Amino acid sequence: MAGIFLFMAIFYLLIIWLDKLFPFEEAKPVEQIVAVSSDEDDEEYE
Amino acid sequence: MGFEDLMPAIAGMTWQDLVMISIGLILIYLAIAKNYEPTLLLPMGFGAILVNIPLSSAITQIDPATGEAVEGVLNVFFNAGIATEIFPLLIFIAIGAMIDFSPLFRSPSLLLFGAAAQFGIFMTMVLASFLGYDLREAASIGIIGAADGPTSIVVASRFAPNLLGPISVAAYSYMALVPIIQPPVIRLLTSRKERLIRMSGIGHANKKISKKALILFPIVVTIVAGIIAPSSLALIGFLMFGNLIRECGVLNKLSLSAQNELASLVTILLGITIASTMTSERFVRVDTLVIIGLGLFAFVFDTFGGVIFAKFLNLFRKEGNKINPMVGACGISAFPMSARVIHQMGQKEDPYNYLLMPAISANVGGQIGSVVAGGIILTLVPLFA
């Protein structure tokens, strides 16, 4: 039993660590990407 | 030419064969009429009929003319798929592809119930040892408590292949009977006040989990488990491989094939092949009844372990942050049956108590816990046997 608890404790820490290291990131909406790229184009012509 | 020469099957039929054919018919009835784990009980039931008709060509027979063994197809399947553990490990790929670990990421503390609810395995091993079984047989019987068919088959085929038939029947039957076994045990161990505990404070039901975390999880688990207990790597590794196929996002066709075609094909062969061990000489014995009784004991004490662990943790938790002890019982591997049962029990007590999310988290933890338990048994039993 102790062995299973040890394994699960390790996996518990692994989940916490992975979740901290790789938090969920919202994907940028398409309008934002287009707006950013058109701003960059304007800067080039100035 | 006598009757024995004309109708050798009838002439050779014993009462034990008739008992086994009846058991086969009962398993088929339970599968079809009651919907008890039909994916396994129906093939096993039909296979039991196939192998218990005397002189059946489905299993190996001695040719009376030449004295040589004529191998039956079910024995070919057994040697190729069960003795080598290929069938259960392929099923693990399928199961891994079906598992979504994001509930565990939302409530990682519930992973510990996946450990606590394996208590029945070890209690049953102890009881089986007291009843005279050696350590290998006791471990094979105890693993019924993992509530995980492939794990039970892997352990039993390695340590006690002569007991594989009753162990498989017990394991799959009790998995189907979880809605009948767990509720009375839970009611006995908990008060109404405890069953009414709401768990809205635990976990974030709407929290999204990053794809990278879900992809890395099966890889890191495999490496960690392999380093600590290499003997467990086949079980854990194949489960995590299936999960990685699901989560990577670039193998959707393979993931769907694993969840559907692979699972179905191997299940068909696995069920009917296990039946090759359900011959009357092996099955109609006092041992079988003892094993079936011990299997029930294992499930009861799994539930006991999960519930009591939850009550123990509640001693250290503040009001408003307590765990509903019923969720502890979900730490067995019978997914999603156990989670559904506990959620329904909670709703009966309080229609506004939604225990499904934490119950599923604990249930997913149980799927990992059962495989870990199998791996530990495979590692440690040979050292002490």
Side-chain angles (χ1 to χ4, degrees):
Chain A
M1 272 308 282
I4 303 178
F5 271 103
L6 175 66
F7 259 103
M8 300 305 249
I10 293 171
F11 295 152
Y12 166 76
L13 293 170
L14 173 65
I15 287 172
I16 305 274
W17 175 68
L18 281 172
D19 200 33
K20 265 209 171 96
L21 208 59
F22 302 106
F24 180 78
E25 284 170 14
E26 285 284 350
K28 276 189 191 169
V30 173
E31 300 80 39
Q32 273 189 24
I33 296 169
V34 168
V36 166
S37 58
S38 63
D39 285 344
E40 286 168 358
D41 289 339
D42 290 342
E43 282 169 16
E44 272 182 31
Y45 288 122
E46 278 171 8
Chain B
M1 217 183 220
F3 177 74
E4 284 170 13
D5 300 311
L6 284 171
M7 303 286 258
I10 294 178
M13 189 83 72
T14 61
W15 67 268
Q16 292 95 329
D17 294 330
L18 289 169
V19 166
M20 285 311 298
I21 291 171
S22 308
I23 288 175
L25 290 169
I26 290 169
L27 291 178
I28 293 172
Y29 169 78
L30 290 174
I32 297 174
K34 300 287 184 186
N35 208 21
Y36 284 175
E37 286 287 332
T39 43
L40 262 302
L41 290 194
L42 190 140
M44 283 166 69
F46 194 83
I49 296 171
L50 275 183
V51 306
N52 284 291
I53 295 174
L55 305 173
S56 167
S57 58
I59 52 171
T60 301
Q61 303 286 351
I62 305 294
D63 185 340
T66 61
E68 284 174 8
V70 179
E71 207 166 18
V73 65
L74 292 183
N75 294 96
V76 174
F77 283 155
F78 185 92
N79 294 334
I82 304 241
T84 56
E85 298 168 9
I86 288 176
F87 286 167
L89 291 176
L90 288 175
I91 297 251
F92 264 132
I93 297 177
I95 293 173
M98 292 177 204
I99 297 178
D100 176 10
F101 283 122
S102 38
L104 263 188
F105 274 76
R106 290 187 194 107
S107 313
S109 57
L110 297 179
L111 185 60
L112 295 175
F113 292 107
Q118 310 307 318
F119 180 66
I121 298 174
F122 300 95
M123 281 292 289
T124 306
M125 277 177 67
V126 169
L127 182 58
S129 300
F130 276 131
L131 291 174
Y133 291 96
D134 66 37
L135 185 58
R136 287 171 175 255
E137 289 172 334
S140 303
I141 296 168
I143 202 69
I144 294 171
D148 179 345
T151 301
S152 302
I153 291 168
V154 166
V155 172
S157 60
R158 205 179 286 189
F159 291 152
N162 53 313
L163 300 178
L164 183 58
I167 286 170
S168 308
V169 171
Y172 282 103
S173 301
Y174 288 130
M175 279 160 59
L177 292 174
V178 157
I180 297 173
I181 297 171
Q182 287 204 304
V185 179
I186 292 169
R187 270 186 230 112
L188 206 64
L189 295 170
T190 54
S191 63
R192 184 144 198 272
K193 187 181 170 196
E194 285 172 324
R195 292 196 292 274
L196 287 170
I197 292 173
R198 294 191 181 187
M199 291 180 63
S200 45
I202 293 175
H204 310 282
N206 298 322
K207 181 182 173 189
K208 292 184 182 168
I209 313 300
S210 84
K211 221 42 194 153
K212 280 184 196 159
L214 289 171
I215 289 171
L216 282 171
F217 181 70
I219 298 171
V220 182
V221 163
T222 304
I223 294 171
V224 167
I227 289 170
I228 298 174
S231 307
S232 69
L233 211 39
L235 287 175
I236 295 177
F238 273 61
L239 186 76
M240 293 300 151
F241 172 55
N243 191 248
L244 183 60
I245 290 174
R246 172 199 172 93
E247 296 296 351
C248 68
V250 296
L251 293 173
N252 290 332
K253 270 178 81 174
L254 290 193
S255 172
L256 289 171
S257 294
Q259 293 177 52
N260 296 294
E261 287 77 35
L262 179 68
S264 300
L265 282 169
V266 181
T267 300
I268 288 172
L269 293 175
L270 182 70
I272 204 161
T273 303
I274 284 173
S276 66
T277 64
M278 291 171 66
T279 53
S280 55
E281 310 85 64
R282 282 185 179 173
F283 212 85
V284 183
R285 299 163 53 183
V286 173
D287 261 345
T288 301
L289 288 174
V290 172
I291 288 168
I292 287 170
L294 286 171
L296 180 61
F297 181 86
F299 267 70
V300 166
F301 274 88
D302 279 346
T303 307
F304 173 89
V307 170
I308 295 301
F309 185 65
K311 288 164 71 104
F312 171 72
L313 289 179
N314 279 346
L315 295 173
F316 307 102
R317 296 179 83 111
K318 293 181 191 153
E319 286 298 325
N321 198 30
K322 291 208 185 272
I323 299 169
N324 190 314
M326 296 198 291
V327 168
C330 294
I332 64 171
S333 183
F335 181 90
M337 182 104 67
S338 188
R340 257 190 249 138
V341 165
I342 268 61
H343 174 66
Q344 281 165 5
M345 283 185 75
Q347 295 259 286
K348 256 191 198 160
E349 304 280 355
D350 173 7
Y352 297 103
N353 191 1
Y354 299 103
L355 292 173
L356 189 62
M357 282 297 122
I360 284 185
S361 300
N363 216 180
V364 172
Q367 291 187 294
I368 299 180
S370 65
V371 173
V372 167
I376 287 176
I377 285 174
L378 289 171
T379 305
L380 294 179
V381 164
L383 301 175
F384 295 99

